[in-house]
Amino acid sequence: MDPARAIIHLDMDAFYASVEQLDHPAYRGRPVVVGADPRDGKGRGVVAACSYEARPFGIRSAMPISRAYRLCPKAIYVRPRMARYAEMSDRIFAILRDYTDLVEPLSIDEAFLDVTASQRLFGPADAIGRTLKARIRSELGLVASIGLAPNKFLAKVASDLGKPDGFVVVAPGKEREFLDPLPIFRLWGVGPKTEARLKRLGLQTIGQIARMPVETLEAMLGGAGRDLWELANGMDDREVVPEQDAKSIGAETTFERDTEDREEIRRTILELSDRVGRRLRREGYLAGGVTLKFRDHLFRTLTRAAILDHPTDVGDDLFREAWKLLQRVSLAGNRVRLLGVTATRLLAAAEPPGGQMSLFRPTADPRRRLARAVDAIQERFGSDAIARASLVEASPARKGRKSGVKDSHSR
DNA sequence: TCTGGGGTCCTAGGACCC
DNA sequence: TCTGGGGTCCTAGGACCC
């Protein structure tokens, strides 16, 4: 057996809402809801994050914003400021990397750290964990919850249980004792569907799953059954992996009102394709495939995918393919709720991303050169400085629509 | 209650090849 | 005329996570 590893899971408490309270002293001590515009309870969209003061009202993240509004109309409702959260995230991750290179980001505000080897330099793992919490609080004014355990799964569950401002340690040998009484939804990979299925079989706690013959679970759930059984028994040998290549890059948007307007649909697919192209170029990828996502007024979701003849990072190419894919979706009688464009089969672009050289290479595709020139102008002067004529001359209906596809991301 | 936007992973079924 | 078995690749859908 390996000597016990020391894995930390760090998760920021109410991250977006906490940053808003940090930046707006008037919000402190008050219920803050970050998410879609509630529009007097008629808005679409969900709660991205809420402060702990909002929780006694029953507000939770991922809840429809209209419901949150009914529960607490007096809360402070703000739109997400992703650029600001990303900036704070960078500072958090910089602190984490002071203690180990083995930092695996799970999201903007959550990470695993393997501090097994760090202990020689920085002392025991729980001291490292306490230092991380203290530095994030004193240097950034934000609160993190931490779980420390011999593996990723246990560390994750530990940090969740301690929230907010938690610090929970699962010592080697105490895995089963810690997990046994917990409800099954705490297992990674058990969402609402699997939870309902397991409950129908009379399974309520992780301990009950741990004590079942693994073959029974395998017969019920296939390969996932063994994974669940191992997690329930506190077994998880996944490594902390610092860098992982993206497998897809996408953008999607939900219309304020379901639409059947061909022109609006076309324009939206073009905007989404441009956004994806820009990200591909910025992050140095070429797309080998495109997927179009389509959701109708009954919330039915369809996807159609294609492989490109030539990998690309140009929005026009993505658009042309996505538009072809749309023709494969039967629109008859369907109003469109959501459209999405995703670049798949990503390859690392041979040229350095954003490199000036590419502007002068005689063999470079002129549309890629144009796209990069537009990137440079937008980088320098902002995304409103230059746009496609076909998008600028968009129908008057779009005027005053503050949550346009482009705006919502660049703000 | 009426469901965002960003992703990852898994599976079933069909096409195709040997 | 009826037909194996293995393998790979691809698509679409869905569960799940934050």
Side-chain angles (χ1 to χ4, degrees):
Chain A
M1 271 309 254
D2 282 344
R5 295 184 295 159
I7 308 295
I8 284 174
H9 180 260
L10 179 140
D11 195 359
M12 300 302 294
D13 295 339
F15 182 54
Y16 300 172
S18 299
V19 174
E20 295 301 333
Q21 289 178 320
L22 182 70
D23 290 350
H24 304 92
Y27 294 178
R28 295 179 197 167
R30 299 190 51 194
V32 173
V33 180
V34 182
D37 186 342
R39 293 178 183 266
D40 283 330
K42 298 189 190 80
R44 284 184 160 179
V46 299
V47 174
C50 62
S51 70
Y52 279 90
E53 295 85 353
R55 302 191 190 195
F57 294 94
I59 297 176
R60 298 288 182 274
S61 67
M63 168 184 286
I65 199 82
S66 53
R67 184 163 167 221
Y69 190 80
R70 279 194 293 278
L71 290 168
C72 185
K74 294 193 161 171
I76 297 164
Y77 288 87
V78 297
R79 249 44 68 226
R81 294 183 298 145
M82 294 312 298
R84 171 65 176 145
Y85 311 147
E87 183 188 327
M88 292 306 278
S89 174
D90 288 345
R91 296 172 64 185
I92 293 163
F93 278 91
I95 291 175
L96 306 187
R97 292 194 179 99
D98 282 346
Y99 301 90
T100 177
D101 292 331
L102 296 175
V103 176
E104 176 178 334
L106 278 184
S107 71
I108 193 167
D109 72 333
E110 201 178 330
F112 284 115
L113 292 78
D114 185 336
V115 295
T116 311
S118 312
Q119 298 179 98
R120 281 187 301 123
L121 272 172
F122 298 103
D126 65 324
I128 296 173
R130 298 214 180 265
T131 304
L132 293 175
K133 262 177 80 82
R135 285 191 59 192
I136 288 169
R137 186 190 295 270
S138 66
E139 295 173 28
L140 306 178
L142 294 170
V143 180
S145 285
I146 280 183
L148 168 63
N151 64 49
K152 281 180 157 183
F153 169 61
L154 286 158
K156 163 95 175 128
V157 175
S159 73
D160 285 346
L161 289 183
K163 278 180 162 299
D165 200 10
F167 192 96
V168 174
V169 179
V170 182
K174 302 284 188 188
E175 293 89 345
R176 287 288 306 271
E177 185 181 319
F178 172 74
L179 288 173
D180 270 13
L182 298 178
I184 46 179
F185 75 82
R186 293 278 172 195
L187 290 167
W188 259 72
V190 175
K193 305 280 182 187
T194 310
E195 183 186 17
R197 237 175 117 182
L198 293 170
K199 279 197 168 157
R200 262 181 266 126
L201 297 159
L203 297 166
Q204 305 278 349
T205 66
I206 292 182
Q208 287 174 306
I209 292 188
R211 288 187 290 271
M212 283 177 70
V214 62
E215 296 78 13
T216 310
L217 276 164
E218 275 178 327
M220 278 162 41
L221 302 171
R226 171 170 287 272
D227 295 343
L228 278 194
W229 183 85
E230 288 182 357
L231 290 182
N233 280 282
M235 297 152 63
D236 176 15
D237 54 13
R238 291 170 298 172
E239 304 278 343
V240 172
V241 185
E243 293 285 334
Q244 292 183 54
D245 280 337
K247 299 206 161 59
S248 66
I249 290 178
E252 62 186 58
T253 190
T254 295
F255 293 100
E256 284 182 30
R257 280 191 199 79
D258 302 340
T259 184
E260 17 188 14
D261 178 345
R262 285 297 267 200
E263 178 51 29
E264 186 174 23
I265 291 168
R266 194 195 67 89
R267 204 164 55 230
T268 301
I269 294 178
L270 183 55
E271 282 179 2
L272 293 168
S273 302
D274 277 346
R275 256 168 64 188
V276 173
R278 213 174 305 134
R279 278 194 59 199
L280 289 169
R281 293 189 294 276
R282 191 180 340 127
E283 296 174 31
Y285 290 107
L286 294 172
V290 179
T291 299
L292 180 80
K293 181 170 166 182
F294 177 99
R295 178 172 288 153
D296 72 9
H297 61 292
L298 299 176
F299 213 74
R300 293 178 298 198
T301 307
L302 300 173
T303 59
R304 293 292 179 269
I307 297 176
L308 293 161
D309 293 336
H310 306 288
T312 185
D313 58 9
V314 175
D316 277 307
D317 294 336
L318 301 174
F319 168 73
R320 247 192 307 282
E321 203 60 43
W323 186 248
K324 271 194 254 167
L325 290 171
L326 181 73
Q327 318 311 312
R328 287 171 43 195
V329 178
S330 162
L331 293 174
N334 281 351
R335 277 162 290 146
V336 188
R337 181 187 178 92
L338 167 147
L339 290 170
V341 175
T342 298
T344 60
R345 297 168 180 269
L346 300 186
L347 315 161
E351 303 169 77
Q356 286 298 310
M357 289 303 290
S358 58
L359 286 173
F360 302 103
R361 273 192 13 178
T363 55
D365 176 341
R367 287 158 325 120
R368 289 188 75 192
R369 287 164 50 198
L370 173 62
R372 282 170 192 282
V374 171
D375 290 344
I377 291 167
Q378 291 187 333
E379 187 111 340
R380 184 131 178 236
F381 302 106
S383 57
D384 292 339
I386 183 167
R388 290 173 180 280
S390 66
L391 294 180
V392 172
E393 289 162 20
S395 79
R398 279 185 62 80
K399 275 195 185 157
R401 188 180 137 185
K402 291 281 199 307
S403 59
V405 167
K406 226 185 244 166
D407 286 353
S408 66
H409 215 69
S410 59
R411 202 162 288 260

